[in-house]
Amino acid sequence: MSGLRIVLLEDNANDAELIQEFLQADHLCCEIVRVQSRADFEAALKTVGIDLILADYKLPAFDGLSALEVTLRERPEVPFILVSGTLGEELAVEALKSGATDFVLKTRLSRLVPAVRRALREASERAERKNVEQALHRSEMYLAEAQRLSHTGSFGWYLLSGEIYWSDETYRIFELDAAIKPTVQAIIDRTHPDDRVRVQQIIDRAASERKAFTIEHRLLMADASIKYVRAVAHGVNGCDPDRFRFVGAVMDITERKRTEQTLLERESKIRRLVDANIIGIIVWNFDGEILEANDAFLRIVGYEREDIGSGRVGWRDLTPQEWLPRSERALVEAGQTGRAQPYEKEYIRRDGSRVPVMVGLATFDASGTEGVAFVVDLTERKRAETEAHESELRYREVQRELAHANRVATMGQLTASIAHEVNQPIAATVTNAQAALRWLAGQPPEVEKVRQALGRIVNDGNRAGDVIGRIHELIRKTPPRKEPVDINKAIREVIELTRGEAWKHGALVQTHLADRLPLIEGDRVQLQQVLLNLLINAMEVMSGVSDGVRELLISTARADSGCVLVTVLDSGPGFAADSAERLFAPFYTTKPTGLGMGLPICRSIVEAHGGRLWASANVPRGAIFQFTVPAHPDASS
Ligand code: ADP
């Protein structure tokens, strides 16, 4: 033992010397700081590295027990030995009770060194113990922190007593109050109902077989959320079989389970996609090789797996020359962004035929030397598109046929009144010609009158010719045209044609045609067919009205969004408020010989022109039919 630092509280110099001698005689090499007052004592206590205090019991200005008090407060770890000449037994016991390490009578200083040695030994043991305790405490703290961070709690389970010990983290995982002692029942209660039987079985078996066990199960928490936990434990026997216990760890693996589940779901989706063999999938590289292909891809391109696998046929070989630039563009895109927007292309099948496909690309990694491509066969879709296009064409053709049939039928209805229209100028021509003959036969011939008669003949001939020309156009089957149409002019011509019909039904036809209307774009004959239908319908229904005037007003106006609006308004019986739409249904008619196809055909004509046709009620009676047609794009407004 060397370099001991001893604080010696002693007023008597001789005693102090004696004490030092005793110590040194026993080879206790030490440095002694001698103090006599409280102040010096307290100051000495503050020095670092004091190993021992030796204190006299009675001093003029201080005393041993007070010194003990100060020591216990300031440096409780330093051993304190009372060295006194006068200490009675009672005082000695009291001093020991108060915390003194030992006491030695000055009369028996031979005991000093053994007492010092023992005190030092005990102090060192205490210090050692404290260190160990501190280390233990630290490691417990680290362990608790590690448990918290890794969501892993620990537990001990004493089989005989049934006692279970949990670490804080285990309590946290189970979300149970740390004040409650854990039990097997508490664990079962916390377990998800569907897992309870299994967990109970594993626990029972572990208890009876005393073998290491692992359980993975779900916990149902108070807020109805679910946690996944995994517990592993092994048996610790010790020497005493009655003290057999399981020691283990319980981990909260919820996060991991969720990730696993997401991955599994994703994988199973991908698997389904691959297995379903609807979408062709290939793994490709920039060198043009196909590294892998599923059955669907092979089916699309008509190759065998060996052809692809041998590397003889790469994706560039499968791509027709004219599609290569598009494919290379997609590759550049995939190389830069990791994926390429799906695009359409064609592959050359083994038999040389072409197959239309939609391809989506994605590269696997940042370096992007390989990737996956999803290939959808578009053959069916393309066929459906062609069929749809063809049936659309057929539909249009049928519509045209129908419209033509309707026109011919309508014109048939008008035959009588048109004959009248044509007869009139012809009769006038005959009358004028007869008069001219008479004027020519006169002496002298009345040349001027003849000239005037001939002029009238030309006019009447032209009028009849015009009517016939228009009838001819209306019943002729012409392909649909797209031309600028002056709707006001078209209306006037139809009115002209239906004049006789109007007269027959006693209808008074009026017009209100807007000036400076833009031309519209479309087929004049078809639009006139619409007008013809609307006018004849109105005249027909009005003929049934016995009282009041039979008025028919046709007007045009500029409508919103660059359209022209045509309105046909009558004072007929009108229709029930809720049947405005019904009138346009095919075969809807209220006429004994009606076909019910006029209005639906009109509507399809107007819609084909990009416009709308609808009906509404007139006030106080009658019907209003209106339609819009977009103006010609070049029409100046
Ligand atoms: P149809 O003239 O052969 O009956 P339409 O499709 O042209 O076929 O007309 C269908 C029905 O719409 C007519 O039967 C008639 O009941 C009704 N309708 C058409 N125009 C008018 C109108 N101006 N006023 C009242 N009802 C009308």
Side-chain angles (χ1 to χ4, degrees):
M1 223 175 264
S2 63
L4 279 179
R5 282 176 64 94
I6 296 177
V7 175
L8 176 62
L9 180 63
E10 179 58 77
D11 57 329
N12 187 318
N14 288 339
D15 285 356
E17 209 166 304
L18 202 62
I19 287 169
Q20 191 160 4
E21 272 171 22
F22 262 93
L23 292 173
Q24 279 166 357
D26 224 324
H27 310 296
L28 268 177
C29 155
C30 52
E31 182 195 330
I32 292 181
V33 181
R34 183 172 153 228
V35 293
Q36 299 181 49
S37 66
R38 172 186 275 267
D40 288 349
F41 182 74
E42 283 180 349
L45 275 193
K46 290 199 169 60
T47 31
V48 208
I50 306 172
D51 299 302
L52 178 72
I53 296 163
L54 297 175
D56 192 4
Y57 181 64
K58 232 179 165 89
L59 292 98
F62 198 29
D63 68 287
L65 285 183
S66 302
L68 174 63
E69 215 179 282
V70 176
T71 307
L72 288 173
R73 196 172 60 234
E74 302 291 332
R75 303 289 299 266
E77 78 284 4
V78 181
F80 186 102
I81 299 177
L82 275 170
V83 185
S84 164
T86 54
L87 209 59
E89 197 167 315
E90 247 173 61
L91 272 177
V93 170
E94 196 186 318
L96 288 178
K97 267 194 197 156
S98 308
T101 315
D102 209 344
F103 71 90
V104 176
L105 288 174
K106 283 185 180 168
T107 47
R108 294 185 59 195
L109 274 182
S110 57
R111 266 205 67 238
L112 179 64
V113 170
V116 166
R117 285 194 190 282
R118 204 186 74 195
L120 288 173
R121 194 174 59 244
E122 283 177 3
S124 127
E125 281 168 7
R126 256 200 320 277
E128 182 72 7
R129 217 168 27 245
K130 197 168 167 199
N131 278 346
V132 170
E133 273 169 9
Q134 272 175 352
L136 190 68
H137 181 66
R138 249 196 319 273
S139 94
E140 270 177 359
M141 257 169 45
Y142 293 158
L143 184 66
E145 191 61 15
Q147 291 202 351
R148 210 171 57 76
L149 288 174
S150 63
H151 305 296
T152 306
S154 53
F155 65 88
W157 174 27
Y158 287 80
L159 276 197
L160 194 71
S161 64
E163 279 173 312
I164 295 177
Y165 296 94
W166 276 0
S167 71
D168 289 350
E169 185 57 21
T170 311
Y171 274 107
R172 249 194 308 275
I173 291 172
F174 278 81
E175 290 179 21
L176 287 180
D177 188 348
I180 296 169
K181 257 198 145 340
T183 57
V184 168
Q185 192 52 49
I187 295 169
I188 296 292
D189 288 346
R190 190 40 112 210
T191 298
H192 190 285
D194 295 349
D195 293 349
R196 280 183 191 154
V197 173
R198 184 171 57 87
V199 171
Q200 184 73 61
Q201 280 169 354
I202 293 174
I203 291 178
D204 290 347
R205 201 169 53 236
S208 70
E209 294 176 359
R210 300 191 167 197
K211 276 199 197 135
F213 66 90
T214 304
I215 324 180
E216 238 181 69
H217 63 109
R218 288 165 297 174
L219 303 182
L220 182 59
M221 312 318 287
D223 63 357
S225 64
I226 287 180
K227 268 188 195 176
Y228 288 84
V229 291
R230 177 184 160 82
V232 285
H234 73 130
V236 177
N237 214 349
C239 320
D240 177 4
D242 286 349
R243 298 220 14 101
F244 178 89
R245 59 203 181 276
F246 279 109
V247 174
V250 50
M251 281 155 274
D252 182 347
I253 54 167
T254 314
E255 272 302 304
R256 204 181 75 199
K257 272 277 172 201
R258 298 246 155 90
T259 317
E260 261 173 35
Q261 248 163 17
T262 319
L263 283 177
L264 270 177
E265 274 164 25
R266 198 178 302 163
E267 195 189 306
S268 94
K269 269 185 203 155
I270 293 175
R271 237 334 73 231
R272 279 207 298 275
L273 196 72
V274 175
D275 292 346
N277 266 324
I278 296 166
I279 295 181
I281 301 171
I282 55 170
V283 177
W284 52 268
N285 66 16
F286 277 84
D287 296 335
E289 288 172 314
I290 294 174
L291 308 174
E292 268 180 64
N294 69 346
D295 291 347
F297 181 80
L298 296 172
R299 211 170 41 238
I300 292 172
V301 294
Y303 276 93
E304 298 297 323
R305 190 167 293 284
E306 299 82 69
D307 302 322
I308 303 285
S310 65
R312 266 192 304 115
V313 185
W315 60 262
R316 281 197 180 89
D317 308 310
L318 294 174
T319 306
Q321 204 61 31
E322 70 271 26
W323 284 106
L324 271 176
R326 179 66 191 91
S327 297
E328 299 292 351
R329 252 203 337 273
L331 278 197
V332 172
E333 191 187 339
Q336 284 167 352
T337 64
R339 64 184 58 198
Q341 287 298 317
Y343 62 100
E344 288 188 20
K345 64 180 270 188
E346 284 178 331
Y347 279 133
I348 309 170
R349 299 165 61 97
R350 189 184 201 167
D351 62 8
S353 61
R354 301 279 189 100
V355 53
V357 289
M358 166 89 78
V359 180
L361 294 185
T363 53
F364 280 137
D365 44 40
S367 65
T369 52
E370 285 180 9
V372 65
F374 298 93
V375 180
V376 181
D377 187 341
L378 297 183
T379 313
E380 273 308 310
R381 205 183 83 185
K382 292 274 175 203
R383 197 169 49 225
E385 273 172 16
T386 315
E387 273 174 12
H389 182 65
E390 278 168 4
S391 73
E392 167 79 18
L393 289 181
R394 267 201 303 278
Y395 172 73
R396 293 232 184 94
E397 182 57 34
V398 169
Q399 284 234 319
R400 269 200 299 279
E401 295 280 349
L402 255 176
H404 177 246
N406 172 267
R407 266 193 327 262
V408 174
T410 315
M411 293 312 290
Q413 267 177 279
L414 299 183
T415 326
S417 40
I418 288 172
H420 173 75
E421 272 304 287
V422 180
N423 275 341
Q424 236 187 2
I426 290 173
T429 301
V430 171
T431 314
N432 276 315
Q434 283 169 345
L437 284 175
R438 268 202 316 278
W439 285 319
L440 273 179
Q443 284 303 332
E446 294 183 68
V447 179
E448 182 48 32
K449 283 193 173 166
V450 171
R451 209 180 55 77
Q452 284 172 3
L454 285 176
R456 282 194 296 276
I457 288 173
V458 170
N459 278 345
D460 284 335
N462 281 343
R463 222 174 90 203
D466 277 356
V467 173
I468 289 174
R470 260 172 236 137
I471 294 166
H472 185 62
E473 266 195 58
L474 275 170
I475 57 173
R476 201 176 51 187
K477 203 174 152 197
T478 49
R481 273 177 295 190
K482 245 186 173 187
E483 59 195 0
V485 179
D486 175 347
I487 193 77
N488 285 349
K489 188 162 169 247
I491 290 171
R492 280 191 206 101
E493 285 175 1
V494 172
I495 291 174
E496 184 85 358
L497 267 184
T498 51
R499 237 202 350 230
E501 199 68 6
W503 179 80
K504 195 173 98 189
H505 293 292
L508 176 66
V509 179
Q510 288 176 309
T511 53
H512 203 294
L513 305 178
D515 290 338
R516 293 196 304 277
L517 264 192
L519 295 178
I520 56 165
E521 188 181 38
D523 185 304
R524 184 176 52 83
V525 171
Q526 287 193 351
L527 291 172
Q528 284 186 323
Q529 176 175 1
V530 174
L531 290 159
L532 198 64
N533 266 306
L534 297 181
L535 260 54
I536 290 176
N537 271 348
M539 290 170 189
E540 276 182 357
V541 296
M542 283 199 300
S543 65
V545 177
S546 49
D547 57 330
V549 230
R550 298 167 184 176
E551 276 174 335
L552 182 52
L553 175 66
I554 302 143
S555 59
T556 51
R558 222 176 248 265
D560 293 342
S561 57
C563 282
V564 167
L565 172 72
V566 179
T567 304
V568 178
L569 190 147
D570 68 57
S571 56
F575 45 81
D578 57 353
S579 59
E581 263 313 295
R582 201 140 49 103
L583 310 184
F584 295 94
F587 308 115
Y588 173 79
T589 180
T590 53
K591 300 173 195 164
T593 55
L595 248 186
M597 284 306 290
L599 288 178
I601 288 172
C602 289
R603 181 172 263 182
S604 80
I605 289 175
V606 170
E607 286 176 355
H609 278 77
R612 256 178 5 97
L613 165 65
W614 68 98
S616 54
N618 190 9
V619 180
R621 63 167 200 214
I624 305 176
F625 283 81
Q626 287 177 297
F627 66 89
T628 55
V629 196
H632 191 276
D634 300 336
S636 54
S637 50

